[in-house]
Amino acid sequence: MHISVITIFPEIFSGFLSTSLIGSAIDRNLMRASIHNLRDYTGDEHRSVDDEPFGGGPGMVMSAIPWISAVNQIAESNPGWRILLSPQGTRLSEEKVGELATRGHLILLCGRYEGLDERVSDTVVDEEISIGDYVLSGGEVAAMVLIETVSRQIPGVIGQWQSVQQDSFRSGLLDYPHYTRPRKVDTLEVPDVLLSGDHRAIADWRFRESLRATLRKRPDLIASVKLTSQQRRILGQVEAEEGSPLEFSESPTESLLHQNTGRSSHESAQTEKTRLRTCTSFKR
Ligand code: ADE
């Protein structure tokens, strides 16, 4: 996996790409990251990347030509899937991450200011991705989120592949609670079952607690989880323990299922001159 990033703030990425799991993955040649300074693709001596908006209005707009030159030059040697990080994009999800992880080369465009001249999207962008419904000052932090989550899907990046498989959202359920030493923190003790050595009982407890965490924190997720009839029975028990927020005949799960299927909201939800450039390569 090769990830190229285009930004006017390349320095933001240096600590991120040299630390922890990503730093180690790059050291071990499991992935490669190249950071390109957009200003290196400008044609003027001031290396300017923005201008006033046609039609007036506040702020500045990033000019199309440096972006188009940068993307085309980077893609020339290694064509890639070109992603603009933008609040107007498709929301990033674990499913989308899995799809992106199968691509050999991702080219990430990190915009700033009021955004990019529309002709960038029209010509050199395959997909716009947002990391959430809020506005960041630029796409750099969003690109880091994307890089981190995609890197987790590259075999060998996470020491224990099992922990990737068990990540929240992969199963559709949130994670169960975790504990480590000491056994007692003030009056709070580690659940006995985790000290029992009974692996079956521990797995059962963890499944129940995943269900409980999902019901409490993200009940909207429950309706889309695929459960066996035995697991569905356990869900019923956990719902009863938690106290159903609905006082009628439907359990919260049934109610959500009906909302989703009955009203079909589930379906609806859903090289210019060759010149010196400062591409910081994070491949050693
Ligand atoms: N740039 C600004 N806000 C963003 C967001 N929410 N997601 C991705 N890129 C962005």
Side-chain angles (χ1 to χ4, degrees):
M1 161 70 71
H2 181 192
I3 300 181
S4 298
V5 178
I6 312 170
T7 170
I8 56 168
F9 295 121
E11 62 278 15
I12 291 181
F13 290 87
S14 46
F16 173 69
L17 292 172
S18 54
T19 310
S20 190
L21 291 170
I22 294 185
S24 156
I26 289 170
D27 282 346
R28 290 182 290 136
N29 288 323
L30 295 174
M31 62 183 279
R32 189 153 91 84
S34 329
I35 309 299
H36 301 261
N37 189 337
L38 180 69
R39 293 190 193 280
D40 292 338
Y41 298 86
T42 55
D44 65 316
E45 60 172 310
H46 302 295
R47 292 158 56 89
S48 57
V49 292
D50 60 342
D51 211 330
E52 292 162 359
F54 280 124
M60 302 290 272
V61 174
M62 297 195 94
S63 317
I65 291 172
W67 283 107
I68 295 171
S69 307
V71 173
N72 286 340
Q73 284 184 50
I74 293 163
E76 203 174 54
S77 53
N78 181 6
W81 186 249
R82 304 158 304 180
I83 298 170
L84 171 64
L85 282 315
S86 143
Q88 279 100 43
T90 308
R91 182 88 67 85
L92 186 63
S93 65
E94 198 64 25
E95 194 185 345
K96 172 58 71 182
V97 169
E99 187 191 310
L100 296 178
T102 64
R103 300 193 179 271
H105 184 200
L106 298 177
I107 303 175
L108 308 182
L109 289 70
C110 306
R112 286 254 153 191
Y113 312 125
E114 293 304 311
L116 279 64
D117 184 307
E118 192 62 22
R119 291 164 292 185
V120 179
S121 297
D122 292 344
T123 52
V124 294
V125 170
D126 295 306
E127 182 172 21
E128 287 189 36
I129 291 184
S130 162
I131 62 161
D133 290 344
Y134 39 78
V135 180
L136 303 165
S137 303
E140 287 78 6
V141 169
M144 288 192 255
V145 168
L146 193 151
I147 295 169
E148 179 147 323
T149 187
V150 166
S151 71
R152 295 178 58 81
Q153 303 290 330
I154 301 171
V157 170
I158 305 291
Q160 289 188 310
W161 180 244
Q162 211 190 359
S163 64
V164 175
Q165 298 287 317
Q166 286 175 1
D167 275 348
S168 297
F169 300 114
R170 290 215 118 208
S171 66
L173 293 174
L174 300 189
D175 206 0
Y176 52 78
H178 300 266
Y179 298 87
T180 188
R181 279 180 278 267
R183 278 190 184 193
K184 206 168 168 190
V185 175
D186 198 359
T187 58
L188 301 175
E189 296 196 42
V190 175
D192 286 339
V193 66
L194 299 180
L195 308 170
S196 68
D198 180 341
H199 297 299
R200 179 72 202 264
I202 292 171
D204 287 349
W205 180 88
R206 286 179 167 164
F207 179 67
R208 291 180 85 92
E209 295 311 310
S210 277
L211 288 170
R212 194 184 312 283
T214 312
L215 280 170
R216 284 184 184 171
K217 301 175 189 173
R218 289 291 307 274
D220 58 301
L221 295 177
I222 288 277
S224 332
V225 183
K226 289 193 178 65
L227 297 174
T228 63
S229 54
Q230 162 77 351
Q231 290 171 326
R232 201 156 273 290
R233 200 176 54 75
I234 297 170
L235 173 63
Q237 291 168 1
V238 178
E239 280 175 343
E241 286 163 19
E242 289 298 296
S244 167
L246 299 177
E247 289 169 4
F248 310 109
S249 53
E250 284 183 331
S251 69
T253 316
E254 283 166 337
S255 164
L256 283 163
L257 281 169
H258 288 159
Q259 278 171 29
N260 284 346
T261 50
R263 297 176 204 146
S264 82
S265 60
H266 188 56
E267 293 156 44
S268 58
Q270 263 304 291
T271 334
E272 141 201 30
K273 283 187 259 113
T274 312
R275 61 200 150 75
L276 203 61
R277 276 187 270 114
T278 52
C279 160
T280 316
S281 179
F282 282 84
K283 176 170 170 39
R284 295 187 191 168

